[in-house]
Amino acid sequence: MSADRADFNGFYAANVGPITAQIRAYVGDLAEAEDLVAEAFCRALARWGAISAYDNPATWVRRVAWNLATSRLRRAAVVRRFLRRQRPATADGPGPERLDLEQALSELNERHRKAVILRYMAGMTSAEIAEQEGVAEATVRSWLTRGKAALAERLRIADFEEQR
């Protein structure tokens, strides 16, 4: 191990804990703070020749981590504001029919489920699905037929059990 690398390792060991604690207090989340501090130390390692000559290299790492945290918090605030504007004023949760459908879909074979979703939710044609999946159109039609039959059976069973 080179002297520079050993010097950086000692610097890292002495400073990662306190800097992480400071950034955690700023962002309010340990995992996020650890990510930000790790990024700051990676940047320091890439420039260690110059940074090691500073009076206090920890100040540089702390500033980088703090700037990264500030940028991330600002982006998160922009996203939150955007999402608040996009939400409908009131949104009802899914009804029992939707939950039954989602449960029934989750029980289908993966190819059948994907074909049914692409056809009936995404509005794609059999030819478009075939092209996307790299299979023959007849294969897609088979998947749709089998998927619809399995879906109908699962939904019928649920209806029958509810009527008992």
Side-chain angles (χ1 to χ4, degrees), residues 16-38 69 72:
V16 69
I19 294 174
T20 301
Q22 295 158 17
I23 299 302
R24 179 184 184 198
Y26 182 49
V27 299
D29 180 80
L30 178 60
E32 180 129 6
E34 288 172 339
D35 288 346
L36 295 164
V37 172
R72 194 171 288 182

Side-chain angles (χ1 to χ4, degrees), residues 50-158:
I51 292 170
S52 63
Y54 293 175
D55 289 338
N56 189 353
T59 301
W60 186 92
V61 172
R62 184 180 304 104
R63 172 56 54 201
V64 169
W66 202 272
N67 289 344
L68 290 167
T70 300
S71 294
R72 194 171 288 182
L73 290 171
R74 285 180 183 152
R75 280 192 307 274
V78 168
V79 168
R80 280 192 307 276
R81 284 193 304 271
F82 174 78
L83 291 175
R84 264 197 306 271
R85 288 191 306 263
Q86 302 306 311
R87 288 189 193 150
T90 59
D92 296 331
E97 311 81 27
R98 175 66 182 241
L99 295 176
D100 290 343
L101 176 60
E102 288 177 0
Q103 177 64 38
L105 280 168
S106 73
E107 294 171 0
L108 295 182
N109 168 295
E110 183 180 342
R111 290 179 293 199
H112 300 163
R113 178 175 56 244
K114 189 171 188 179
V116 168
I117 290 169
L118 292 175
R119 175 69 184 103
Y120 297 103
M121 295 180 82
M124 294 173 68
T125 65
S126 296
E128 291 170 330
I129 297 168
E131 182 179 333
Q132 176 181 309
E133 298 302 305
V135 298
E137 191 173 348
T139 302
V140 171
R141 286 193 301 268
S142 172
W143 290 349
L144 287 169
T145 300
R146 291 178 184 176
K148 287 188 301 185
L151 193 57
E153 184 62 30
R154 282 168 176 75
L155 292 173
R156 240 191 321 263
I157 291 171

